[in-house]
């Protein structure tokens, strides 16, 4: 056995594909999610990342059963689409609760174990966040989602330095467009379409790009790379187009970058 891998949101999409690939590599994998969808070599523990007691219960179970967590992958997430002006308070809070506070809660719960466990080779463990290219170029009418992924990147950046002394590495994987069930589960609210007549076209463009996007398995390979590569990087992209977008973020003037994104999403 290569180690103990714990993945939030491993019941579907990128998380499920990552669980499969890590199990195939010899890891014992735990899926922390609300829904149990059995997969060979993966043990499900009921967990809702918005509820700290369920997180603590799951981590305690793993600590008592295994005594360590070698890889912690934060993959659970959800999306909200619609105009900023008309986004309901509860939807806004839910978006941040799942995508930002959820991963932070899991990290807080797991760190006492990871920080004190014996080293395996040169390190004690790895933490990998599944972020998004929406953190690099924020998507109009998906501002809340984009903001959560930017926050996740900033959190990972700071955490990497905090945990350096304990030999725990931190990485973020930033997928581009991925064809999963994520889009179908997105909470879309077209309230205010009369005020923002281009909103529906922008959301439809985004959904079309997702439908033509890469597979969960392709992104999972990058997540697994962050989990297993010697001396992992802080940020990983998932394809050449994402690499090009990151280069554009560094080189393009802000005015030109916002104009390009606006044209892409018909704003």
């Amino acid at each position: 056995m290569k180690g103990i891998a714990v993945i939030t949101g491993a019941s579907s999409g990128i998380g499920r594909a990552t669980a499969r690939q890590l199990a195939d590599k010899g890891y014992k994998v735990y899926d922390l999610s609300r829904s149990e969808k059995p997969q060979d070599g993966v043990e499900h523990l009921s967990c809702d990342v918005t509820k700290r007691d369920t997180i603590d219960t799951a981590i305690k179970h793993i600590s008592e059963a295994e005594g360590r967590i070698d890889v912690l992958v934060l993959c659970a997430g959800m999306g909200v689409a619609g105009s900023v002006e008309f986004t309901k308070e509860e939807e806004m809070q839910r978006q941040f609760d799942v995508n930002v506070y959820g991963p932070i809660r899991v990290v807080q719960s797991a760190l006492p174990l990871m920080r004190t466990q014996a080293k395996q080779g040169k390190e004690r463990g790895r933490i990998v966040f599944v972020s998004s290219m929406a953190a690099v170029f924020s998507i109009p009418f998906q501002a809340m989602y984009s903001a959560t992924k930017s926050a996740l990147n900033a959190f990972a950046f700071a955490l990497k330095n905090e945990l350096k002394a304990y030999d725990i590495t931190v990485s973020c994987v930033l997928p581009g467009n991925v064809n999963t069930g994520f889009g179908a589960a997105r909470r879309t609210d077209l309230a205010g379409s009369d005020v923002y007549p281009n909103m529906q076209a922008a959301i439809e463009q985004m959904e079309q790009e997702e439908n033509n996007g890469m597979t969960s398995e392709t992104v999972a390979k990058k997540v697994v790379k962050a989990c297993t590569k010697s001396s992992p990087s802080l940020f990983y992209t998932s394809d050449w187009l994402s690499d090009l977008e990151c280069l554009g973020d560094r080189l393009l003037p802000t005015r030109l970058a916002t104009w390009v994104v606006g044209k892409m999403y018909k704003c």
Side-chain angles (χ1 to χ4, degrees):
M1 184 177 68
K2 290 218 177 157
I4 306 302
V6 178
I7 307 173
T8 66
S11 61
S12 63
I14 297 168
R16 186 174 179 85
T18 301
R20 172 78 274 126
Q21 293 180 24
L22 285 175
D24 288 344
K25 284 184 174 293
Y27 285 83
K28 182 170 183 180
V29 180
Y30 285 90
D31 161 33
L32 273 56
S33 61
R34 294 180 301 167
S35 303
E36 182 175 6
K37 296 181 181 177
Q39 186 171 195
D40 289 343
V42 180
E43 181 174 337
H44 173 261
L45 295 176
S46 181
C47 180
D48 183 337
V49 297
T50 68
K51 298 178 180 177
R52 189 177 290 271
D53 59 335
T54 69
I55 297 169
D56 290 342
T57 298
I59 296 298
K60 181 180 179 182
H61 174 93
I62 296 167
S63 178
E64 292 175 348
E66 309 295 346
R68 64 183 303 108
I69 296 172
D70 296 288
V71 174
L72 178 64
V73 180
L74 292 312
C75 195
M78 55 87 69
V80 169
S83 70
V84 169
E85 182 179 350
F86 290 91
T87 299
K88 296 180 177 63
E89 179 76 16
E90 58 269 23
E91 290 297 304
M92 180 171 58
Q93 290 181 346
R94 175 71 176 172
Q95 178 75 99
F96 278 81
D97 203 15
V98 174
N99 287 15
V100 180
Y101 301 128
I104 292 174
R105 292 185 188 103
V106 178
V107 168
Q108 287 179 326
S109 186
L111 273 179
L113 172 60
M114 297 182 72
R115 181 170 43 78
T116 57
Q117 65 196 16
K119 288 185 182 182
Q120 294 277 28
K122 295 181 179 180
E123 62 186 53
R124 284 191 172 85
R126 297 191 177 195
I127 298 173
V128 180
F129 297 91
V130 177
S131 180
S132 170
M133 284 302 298
V136 179
F137 287 117
S138 299
I139 303 172
F141 303 109
Q142 215 179 159
M144 302 300 173
Y145 175 80
S146 301
T148 63
K149 294 304 184 178
S150 293
L152 205 59
N153 286 5
F155 177 77
F157 191 102
L159 187 66
K160 184 177 180 68
N161 276 317
E162 287 191 23
L163 298 182
K164 187 185 299 183
Y166 295 100
D167 299 303
I168 298 173
T169 67
V170 178
S171 296
C172 267
V173 178
L174 283 66
N177 292 308
V178 189
N179 187 357
T180 68
F182 184 88
R186 182 185 293 110
R187 300 184 181 188
T188 300
D189 188 346
L190 297 177
S193 293
D194 55 331
V195 179
Y196 300 98
N198 55 337
M199 173 168 51
Q200 185 165 354
I203 293 174
E204 288 175 353
Q205 176 66 28
M206 174 189 64
E207 291 173 345
Q208 180 181 345
E209 290 174 356
E210 288 175 343
N211 291 336
N212 294 327
M214 70 194 82
T215 65
S216 297
E217 288 73 20
T218 299
V219 179
K221 289 179 181 178
K222 286 300 180 83
V223 179
V224 170
K225 182 178 181 180
C227 292
T228 59
K229 184 181 179 183
S230 177
S231 301
S233 301
L234 174 57
F235 294 116
Y236 288 92
T237 56
S238 56
D239 60 344
W240 67 269
L241 183 57
S242 297
D243 289 338
L244 189 61
E245 289 178 17
C246 287
L247 180 63
D249 179 50
R250 292 194 294 269
L251 298 180
L252 292 178
T254 302
R255 180 174 294 183
L256 178 57
T258 55
W259 180 83
V260 170
V261 172
K263 284 295 183 181
M264 286 175 59
Y265 295 102
K266 308 182 188 306
C267 294

